[in-house]
Amino acid sequence: MKSLLATLLLLFSFSVFAQDTSDKAQIETTLNNYLDGFYKGDTLKLKAALKPRLYKFGYWKNKESGEYEYYDQMTYDKAIDFAKRIKKNNQQKGDDVIRKAEVLEISNHIAAAKVIGFWGVDYMLLSKEGGKWMIEQVIWEGPLEKTHLGKTTTYYLIRHAEKDTSDKEDKDPHLSEAGKTRADKWAKHFEGIALDAVYSTNYNRTKETATPTAKSKNLELTFYDPRNMDAKEFMAQTEGKTVLIVGHSNTTPMFTNAILGKKKYEMMQEDDNASLYKVTVTEDAKTSELLKIN
């Protein structure tokens, strides 16, 4: 009898767990449909996520006063029209843009959830009808605050400045006069950026490029070997920091790609000493941009 009761209890617990898991998965799908509606202009997914009686409104922070001001209500029809405009005007957001969906609580017929989008934070209430979870009400605030994103890590990657090529046999040349000038320009560029660390390969040209910036920040150079770099380990060690990495025409884009987790950038041209790769890593996204600093 005890064995039978234990078996029945186990089966009941599994059934409840399976139902909870199923509901959670359904709600997460609804939340992502909601995000795709406003990110991609996907009206079909948005219609699948929203109840026609949707009640949505929010508060937008006034930059001058710092106060949150009421923002007009968005009805179901307005939401669908908004998604159509996104598609029509080619304003879709890519997969690298911040987006996060979180189920907060599930009851029998209602649930609460939270969505983080590029505009800010949405709290929403959902209901279940006919076995389908849909969004009934939304209250939001914007713009998106850094506190909602968790730790942000920023990497700046550059190639060494112009080297002295007068001695073709020299395998470890120093910077040329033009290179020394550029190194000083890099220090000037990073003047207003709070760096936590400066990394350099152990060569004269990279060290001399990195040194003016490191000195201006009262930082010691940290040497690394790009041939033996574990990108995941490096990212774990530098999480939440702002880091400058000085490398070479091949290692700089290679390291950038390793941080991004995909091949996005090709090897630099031999005469390119002005490119700046900036990679921003948050809990949910990795973004990058390539700048020219002359």
Side-chain angles (χ1 to χ4, degrees):
M1 178 63 70
K2 288 183 178 179
S3 177
L4 177 60
L5 287 174
T7 301
L8 289 173
L9 181 60
L10 179 63
L11 289 172
F12 175 76
S13 299
F14 179 79
S15 175
V16 171
F17 174 78
Q19 181 63 39
D20 287 345
T21 303
S22 176
D23 283 337
K24 184 173 184 291
Q26 288 182 40
I27 293 170
E28 287 175 344
T29 297
T30 297
L31 299 178
N32 280 295
N33 283 341
Y34 174 87
L35 283 165
D36 282 336
F38 290 110
Y39 271 63
K40 311 289 186 183
D42 193 326
T43 54
L44 290 178
K45 287 188 176 181
L46 195 57
K47 288 177 181 178
L50 302 177
K51 282 284 184 69
R53 58 174 173 260
L54 172 75
Y55 188 82
K56 176 179 177 177
F57 67 96
Y59 295 88
W60 189 262
K61 189 175 184 178
N62 186 307
K63 289 183 179 180
E64 295 182 0
S65 67
E67 299 293 327
Y68 284 92
E69 300 174 354
Y70 175 80
Y71 204 87
D72 197 14
Q73 179 192 354
M74 176 179 277
T75 62
Y76 174 87
D77 290 335
K78 287 181 179 179
I80 301 303
D81 288 341
F82 187 90
K84 288 179 179 178
R85 289 196 300 274
I86 291 173
K87 193 76 172 288
K88 181 180 178 181
N89 298 330
N90 293 317
Q91 295 175 325
Q92 297 95 330
K93 302 296 181 183
D95 294 331
D96 57 343
V97 177
I98 178 69
R99 57 179 288 166
K100 183 177 181 181
E102 180 182 359
V103 180
L104 300 177
E105 189 170 346
I106 306 173
S107 190
N108 295 316
H109 185 70
I110 59 174
K114 174 184 176 183
V115 161
I116 297 178
F118 65 88
W119 59 84
V121 180
D122 294 14
Y123 284 92
M124 51 189 62
L125 298 176
L126 303 90
S127 64
K128 185 179 183 181
E129 289 185 16
K132 185 176 182 181
W133 287 97
M134 298 182 75
I135 299 166
E136 292 256 14
Q137 299 180 26
V138 180
I139 183 170
W140 61 270
E141 70 174 31
L144 184 63
E145 300 280 352
K146 287 185 177 180
T147 53
H148 294 299
L149 300 177
K151 290 183 178 179
T152 297
T153 309
T154 306
Y155 299 106
Y156 294 95
L157 299 98
I158 62 173
R159 180 195 181 193
H160 61 78
E162 291 86 344
K163 63 186 177 181
D164 184 351
T165 59
S166 59
D167 184 356
K168 303 300 182 183
E169 301 299 320
D170 189 354
K171 301 299 183 182
D172 190 16
H174 292 271
L175 293 183
S176 66
E177 290 304 314
K180 294 175 184 177
T181 299
R182 186 180 296 278
D184 290 335
K185 285 183 177 179
W186 280 124
K188 186 71 175 177
H189 176 78
F190 289 106
E191 194 172 57
I193 298 173
L195 295 175
D196 297 297
V198 178
Y199 284 75
S200 171
T201 58
N202 197 11
Y203 292 91
N204 289 325
R205 55 193 181 277
T206 46
K207 290 185 289 186
E208 291 169 9
T209 301
T211 295
T213 301
K215 281 187 174 180
S216 70
K217 305 294 182 182
N218 293 317
L219 295 171
E220 295 290 333
L221 290 183
T222 302
F223 297 114
Y224 73 99
D225 182 350
R227 295 166 297 183
N228 297 306
M229 281 295 292
D230 185 321
K232 290 185 178 179
E233 182 180 338
F234 176 79
M235 291 171 67
Q237 293 173 348
T238 55
E239 184 181 8
K241 296 181 179 180
T242 301
V243 179
L244 171 63
I245 305 164
V246 183
H248 306 264
S249 60
N250 58 339
T251 67
T252 297
M254 180 182 70
F255 204 170
T256 304
N257 290 337
I259 294 171
L260 291 171
K262 60 182 179 181
K263 186 176 180 181
K264 182 176 181 179
Y265 300 106
E266 301 293 336
M267 190 168 68
M268 299 169 69
Q269 297 295 318
E270 185 56 35
D271 61 350
D272 182 3
N273 300 95
S275 287
L276 170 64
Y277 299 79
K278 179 182 178 182
V279 181
T280 304
V281 181
T282 64
E283 181 182 354
D284 300 287
K286 295 178 182 178
T287 60
S288 69
E289 56 183 325
L290 177 56
L291 307 170
K292 290 288 185 181
I293 310 298
N294 291 305

